[in-house]
């Protein structure tokens, strides 16, 4: 998607630090919403990135998880829109969700949260550490991918071969190597008076990259 | 969390009391809260989730995971050069030595601060974060401002934490855009030479492992 | 500014065509708001582009003109915030703005609207038609400029020398040539299956460009 | 618009009636409307604007300017090859021949459609538009969707108008990002060979001068 989630380098959001510095969340529903999202789709990223830009930018963080969970639940046929709305009416008049204990579901959740599932090593990476690569330019308004706009068309170098995994944005069974690519801030943002040069690393799948001649 | 240790039917409904206690006297349910509870209700009915599977998610991310584990890893690497070498070479194996593992930390990489290098972790596209080592991310990490500015003006962001770097220090930003999660290994602060590993862990703030701050100076605390 | 106004290539907004196809506006206040903006600042663009992204994307078109007019009026010392709020209270309880006829103001407005004020020809353009140029990459979150993100770092060719005028984003008295630059869609958006190649022209000031070797 | 022709004091307040008539029976004032009226009141008090200077702005953009003028220019260029050559070479001079000039049209360029070239005008950064020839822009031209998509998927946008182009036609998009404003000179439709200049002007829709449509076919109208 080419959505509002792609925030690197966007201005107008003000300062970062807030009064609630240490807090992870404010209200008890927030982590519940995130937990529901993780239960109804294999990955929530496409569902969150698919929110239209005004909605994305005016919905708080865990609100976006909730919207993603609702949409994925309905789109994946897990609950109907009608069932959801019926429950919304019941909750609105004071009812609470049924309290259900289910050892199997609880154990599965705990297992998923605590058991490592590392990605595989890249078997045949096309690029080697040190290779000069350029990030492809794309236009994919409707398909999930993970290429931040701020590095499109920018040349960097392979800093690490991370492994191989399902590539974001393609058939979810297609496995592909991905890399950490190192960029110079000057190549990304141009010459700057306000910040000394720095380094930016972005992790990118192989098919997002093309060989570039070393500068 | 209660109710996890006594035997139950596989999917045991109990409408008699609510596990999810609302502080009703304090505030009304917000629209997001209402909709979250409605979705929870619908998914519980379908047997997709249960009250205690959601509680387990929250318990694990809030209680078991957290910056105390990141601090443990960092403190150990400060006192044990061989552990540090293993941590930088294969973070997951080194974490496993201390029994640390889990979702959103399956593919960890630890990046080391030095007198000439300062690292900063962000996720511009969402808010990827190393849960097993740091728990749930702080609100500012998930803010649009941090996601927008960390990759474009990192030194300006660091100044909001009064983290000033010498001009010759190279700032390295890590945008967690794929499946790797990053943790910063902060520099061991001067004045901490005599401290035990457990005491050292108290100097390792969450913010120093994201990279917006340095480790806490023991002299500044006295 | 690096704001939400820079919309080229952003997805998630749905279809273009609407039921109100022929309409220019819906309500009588809308063109009044635009007229007020034109009266309080030399150019409204920086004031509109400076809106924070959530506000920009959730405020209708003429609402953005109103916000720009309000901010410019206060920032330029034309009216105080207190005066504005006092009038808002009065209007809210049913009062209408004073009806004032002023021949001088009316004539000046009519003159400004109907008299051509063409820009000057470029006296010493650095680039010539056909030259290969690359758009600079920048990061200017707080300064007005007119470099759409979708052409940053892209190489194109000078299609026309438009003239010279105050450059957007610098001292408003600094005059600079600007050009129409021609880009190939493939260089901007990459290879595409969904759209045949096409041409994009963007008008850019000279200092936004650097010489590029012809590809 | 009334009240412009009788003599007045230079800044003549008249609180007795409102020039800005609200259809009060139909609807409440919106928040934007309230704030617009408040700003108008404050600026009127300061002598920055007057009721009739605002009315003049609206009258000119709504009544004097408009697609009837663009259509006039296009129709003339269809019947007069020398005028067309002048229009493409120096649009403002050719507009001046017909008495057309004004704000947001000071630096016009007219781009010609041919059997092998189709032009489309957009302003991705705001909504720049050639007022003297087309008046105020339509709502869709100012929409986020048009500004986002016209430079990225022009043929898909044209299909919303059922404007299908042969594969060999080159689409040229013009993003009015600086001080030039663009008008498309559509192709003269077949079947219009016998029509007068005035009748031809009725075939020139606003949308065809932006480039989302072709000129109206006289045969389709019959």
């Amino acid at each position: 998607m080419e959505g509002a989630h792609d925030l690197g380098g966007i201005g107008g959001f003000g300062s970062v630090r807030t009064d609630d510095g240490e807090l992870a969340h404010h209200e008890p529903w927030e982590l519940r919403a995130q937990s529901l999202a993780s239960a109804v789709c294999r990955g929530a990223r496409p569902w969150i990135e698919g929110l239209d830009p005004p909605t994305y930018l005016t919905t708080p963080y865990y609100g976006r998880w909730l919207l993603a969970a609702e949409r994925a639940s309905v789109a994946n046929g897990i609950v109907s829109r009608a069932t959801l709305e019926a429950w919304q009416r019941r909750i609105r008049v004071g009812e609470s969700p049924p309290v259900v204990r289910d050892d199997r579901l609880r154990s599965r959740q705990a297992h998923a949260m605590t058991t490592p599932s590392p990605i595989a090593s890249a078997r045949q990476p096309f690029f080697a550490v040190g290779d000069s690569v350029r990030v492809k330019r794309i236009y994919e308004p409707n398909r999930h991918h993970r290429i931040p706009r701020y590095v499109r068309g920018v040349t960097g170098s392979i800093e690490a071969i991370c492994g191989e995994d399902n590539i974001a944005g393609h058939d979810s069974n297609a496995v592909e190597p991905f890399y950490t690519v190192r960029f110079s801030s000057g190549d990304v943002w141009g010459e700057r008076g306000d910040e000394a040069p720095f380094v930016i690393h972005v992790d990118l799948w192989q098919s997002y990259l093309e060989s570039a001649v070393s500068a | 969390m209660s109710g996890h240790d006594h035997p139950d039917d596989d999917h045991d409904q109990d409408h008699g009391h609510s596990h999810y206690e609302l502080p009703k006297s304090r505030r009304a349910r917000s629209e997001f809260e209402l909709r979250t509870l409605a979705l929870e209700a619908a998914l519980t009915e379908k047997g997709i989730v249960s009250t205690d599977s959601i509680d387990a998610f929250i318990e694990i991310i809030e209680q078991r995971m957290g910056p105390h584990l990141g601090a443990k890893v960092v403190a150990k690497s400060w006192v044990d050069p061989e552990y540090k070498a293993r941590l930088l070479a294969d973070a997951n194996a080194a974490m496993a030595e201390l029994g640390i593992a889990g979702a959103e930390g399956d593919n960890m990489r630890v990046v080391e601060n030095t007198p000439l290098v300062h690292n900063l972790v962000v996720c511009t596209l969402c808010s990827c974060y190393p849960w097993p080592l740091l728990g749930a991310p702080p609100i500012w990490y998930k803010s649009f401002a941090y996601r927008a500015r960390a990759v474009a003006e990192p030194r300006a962001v660091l100044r909001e934490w009064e983290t000033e770097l010498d001009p010759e220090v190279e700032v390295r930003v890590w945008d967690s855009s794929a499946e790797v999660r990053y943790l910063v290994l902060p520099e061991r602060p001067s004045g901490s030479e005599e401290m035990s590993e457990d005491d050292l862990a108290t100097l390792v703030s969450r913010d120093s492992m994201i990279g917006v701050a340095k480790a806490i100076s023991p002299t500044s605390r006295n």
Side-chain angles (χ1 to χ4, degrees), chain A residues 125-202:
Chain A
F126 182 81
F127 300 111
V129 170
D131 280 3
S132 186
V133 291
R134 186 171 42 244
V135 183
K136 290 180 186 170
R137 293 181 183 272
I138 60 159
Y139 176 66
E140 289 284 2
N142 300 313
R143 194 166 72 163
H144 172 61
H145 63 78
R146 298 286 289 188
I147 317 179
R149 275 192 287 271
Y150 70 91
V151 292
R152 295 193 199 162
V154 181
T155 297
S157 62
I158 301 287
E159 197 264 350
I161 302 168
C162 300
E164 64 182 27
D165 197 8
N166 294 336
I167 177 167
H170 294 268
D171 171 51
S172 60
N173 294 318
V175 163
E176 209 179 82
F178 69 103
Y179 305 86
T180 300
V181 184
R182 177 189 169 100
F183 301 95
S184 298
S185 62
D187 292 337
V188 173
W189 305 116
E191 285 175 41
R192 300 265 295 273
D194 60 325
E195 280 258 344
F198 56 98
V199 168
I200 308 168
H201 300 89
V202 183

Side-chain angles (χ1 to χ4, degrees), chain B residues 38-81:
Chain B
L39 183 62
E40 173 176 336
L43 293 175
T44 303
E45 258 185 354
K46 293 277 178 188
I48 305 293
V49 300
S50 59
T51 312
D52 56 353
S53 77
I54 301 172
D55 292 343
F57 176 94
I58 296 173
E59 183 203 0
I60 290 166
I61 197 171
E62 284 204 312
Q63 308 296 326
R64 288 202 229 172
M65 298 171 161
H68 60 289
L69 295 180
K72 194 171 167 183
V73 166
V74 168
K76 185 171 179 66
S77 77
W78 282 348
V79 299
D80 181 346

